Amino acid sequence: MREFSTDLDQVGGHYALVAARFTRSITEQLVAGAERALIGHGIDADNIHCVWVPGAFEIPLACQRLTQIRHITGARYNAIIALGAVIRGQTPHFDYVAGECARGIARVSLDSGVPVIFGVLTTDTREQAERRADPGAGDKGGAAARAALEMAGLPIPKLID
Ligand code: INI
């Protein structure tokens, strides 16, 4: 068997973060972790763009638009990273917001062929979300960025007869 995996330091490219403002202080931590990880793997800070949206429910539409645009340079985003938190409250709102966000992200990714990474925390409490988002603790933003690089550089072998 031959195995194929991505060297995260060799991927390069352009990345978009889509950040949900509803949980602003938590999302800022996710953004900081993601930015640090991308730069740590050699991505130019100028090639990392962050777009804020009202809440997790709006993330999929922003991701869809970002898969469609091209920069002046002609480049497209190599991957998009959705960041935010949906915290379970006393209402069924949690299930609608978290469910539609996850479904929408998966749909945009499969429809476009662009990796769209689900870096949206779904937790019972705010404290859990804060711990997972903290770049010095759970660092889920960093983990989402590494997943983006891995998928952007996915080494699918070419079959040549
Ligand atoms: N948006 C979030 O990002 N996180 C939440 O926890 C949340 N809750 O709990 O309601 C939330 N709601 C707002 C939603 O994402 C939309 O912005 C809003 O419904 C307008 O469409």
Side-chain angles (χ1 to χ4, degrees), residues 20 22-23 54-58 85-87 93 97:
F22 192 89
T23 50
F57 191 82
E58 285 73 33
V86 190
I87 300 165
H93 213 61
V97 174

Side-chain angles (χ1 to χ4, degrees), residues 46-70:
D46 288 340
N47 294 340
I48 306 170
H49 300 162
C50 182
V51 175
W52 286 87
V53 296
F57 191 82
E58 285 73 33
I59 285 177
L61 181 59
C63 291
Q64 186 185 52
R65 297 237 177 109
L66 288 163
T67 65
Q68 294 164 343
I69 61 155
R70 217 177 251 285

Side-chain angles (χ1 to χ4, degrees), residues 77-90:
Y77 290 112
N78 298 73
I80 296 165
I81 305 166
L83 299 171
V86 190
I87 300 165
R88 191 181 289 279
Q90 300 303 308

Side-chain angles (χ1 to χ4, degrees), residues 9 17 20-21 26 43 56 59-60 62-63 76 84 92 94 99-101 107 118 127 138 141 144 158:
D9 292 330
L17 315 180
R21 196 185 308 111
I26 294 167
I43 305 304
I59 285 177
C63 291
R76 289 187 188 274
F94 173 90
E100 290 309 316
C101 179
R107 185 172 137 196
F118 188 68
E127 291 68 34
K158 291 187 176 62

Side-chain angles (χ1 to χ4, degrees), residues 33-48:
E35 186 185 16
R36 184 178 72 173
L38 290 171
I39 290 171
H41 285 291
I43 305 304
D44 190 329
D46 288 340
N47 294 340
I48 306 170

